[in-house]
Short mmCIF file of all heavy atoms in Angstrom, two decimals:
data_model
loop_
_atom_site.label_atom_id
_atom_site.label_comp_id
_atom_site.label_asym_id
_atom_site.label_seq_id
_atom_site.Cartn_x
_atom_site.Cartn_y
_atom_site.Cartn_z
N SER A 41 18.97 -37.33 -51.28
CA SER A 41 18.09 -36.19 -51.61
C SER A 41 17.07 -36.59 -52.65
O SER A 41 15.88 -36.25 -52.53
CB SER A 41 18.92 -35.06 -52.25
OG SER A 41 19.37 -34.19 -51.29
N ARG A 69 29.18 -29.94 -66.59
CA ARG A 69 29.61 -30.55 -67.84
C ARG A 69 28.52 -31.47 -68.40
O ARG A 69 27.86 -32.20 -67.65
CB ARG A 69 30.89 -31.33 -67.62
CG ARG A 69 32.04 -30.44 -67.11
CD ARG A 69 33.34 -30.72 -67.79
NE ARG A 69 33.75 -32.10 -67.61
CZ ARG A 69 34.61 -32.50 -66.69
NH1 ARG A 69 35.17 -31.64 -65.88
NH2 ARG A 69 34.93 -33.77 -66.61
N PRO A 70 28.32 -31.45 -69.74
CA PRO A 70 27.26 -32.24 -70.34
C PRO A 70 27.36 -33.73 -70.01
O PRO A 70 26.33 -34.39 -69.83
CB PRO A 70 27.44 -32.03 -71.85
CG PRO A 70 28.39 -30.90 -72.00
CD PRO A 70 29.09 -30.65 -70.71
N ASP A 75 25.23 -38.73 -67.35
CA ASP A 75 25.48 -39.75 -66.32
C ASP A 75 24.42 -39.67 -65.23
O ASP A 75 23.99 -40.69 -64.67
CB ASP A 75 26.87 -39.60 -65.72
CG ASP A 75 27.94 -40.02 -66.71
OD1 ASP A 75 27.59 -40.56 -67.77
OD2 ASP A 75 29.15 -39.78 -66.43
N GLN A 94 18.55 -25.20 -66.34
CA GLN A 94 18.55 -23.76 -66.04
C GLN A 94 19.30 -22.92 -67.05
O GLN A 94 18.93 -21.81 -67.37
CB GLN A 94 19.07 -23.51 -64.61
CG GLN A 94 18.12 -23.99 -63.57
CD GLN A 94 18.54 -23.65 -62.16
OE1 GLN A 94 19.72 -23.57 -61.89
NE2 GLN A 94 17.59 -23.45 -61.27
N GLY A 112 14.33 -0.95 -57.07
CA GLY A 112 15.48 -0.36 -56.39
C GLY A 112 16.18 -1.30 -55.45
O GLY A 112 16.83 -0.87 -54.49
N THR A 120 36.40 -7.17 -56.88
CA THR A 120 36.99 -8.50 -57.04
C THR A 120 36.97 -9.16 -55.67
O THR A 120 36.77 -8.49 -54.65
CB THR A 120 38.45 -8.39 -57.52
OG1 THR A 120 39.18 -7.63 -56.53
CG2 THR A 120 38.55 -7.68 -58.87
N SER A 129 37.62 -5.40 -42.80
CA SER A 129 38.70 -5.47 -41.80
C SER A 129 38.50 -6.70 -40.89
O SER A 129 39.45 -7.40 -40.60
CB SER A 129 38.76 -4.18 -41.01
OG SER A 129 37.47 -3.80 -40.60
N LEU A 173 14.63 -5.60 -46.87
CA LEU A 173 13.95 -5.82 -45.58
C LEU A 173 12.91 -4.74 -45.26
O LEU A 173 12.15 -4.87 -44.32
CB LEU A 173 14.97 -5.97 -44.44
CG LEU A 173 15.77 -7.28 -44.52
CD1 LEU A 173 16.91 -7.28 -43.52
CD2 LEU A 173 14.87 -8.51 -44.27
N PRO A 190 6.90 -23.66 -38.20
CA PRO A 190 7.44 -22.40 -38.72
C PRO A 190 8.80 -22.01 -38.12
O PRO A 190 8.99 -22.12 -36.93
CB PRO A 190 6.37 -21.36 -38.32
CG PRO A 190 5.21 -22.12 -37.83
CD PRO A 190 5.67 -23.47 -37.41
N LEU A 240 16.81 -16.77 -46.96
CA LEU A 240 17.03 -15.87 -48.10
C LEU A 240 16.05 -16.22 -49.21
O LEU A 240 15.47 -15.34 -49.85
CB LEU A 240 18.47 -16.10 -48.54
CG LEU A 240 19.06 -15.22 -49.57
CD1 LEU A 240 18.97 -13.78 -49.14
CD2 LEU A 240 20.52 -15.63 -49.78
N ALA A 252 5.16 -20.04 -51.17
CA ALA A 252 6.26 -20.61 -50.34
C ALA A 252 6.05 -22.11 -50.24
O ALA A 252 5.06 -22.56 -49.67
CB ALA A 252 6.23 -20.00 -48.96
N ALA A 289 18.92 -51.52 -55.28
CA ALA A 289 18.32 -51.60 -53.94
C ALA A 289 19.38 -51.39 -52.87
O ALA A 289 19.11 -50.72 -51.85
CB ALA A 289 17.65 -52.95 -53.76
#
Side-chain angles (χ1 to χ4, degrees):
S41 269
R69 300 224 301 262
D75 289 352
Q94 290 186 328
T120 59
S129 46
L173 288 171
L240 188 56

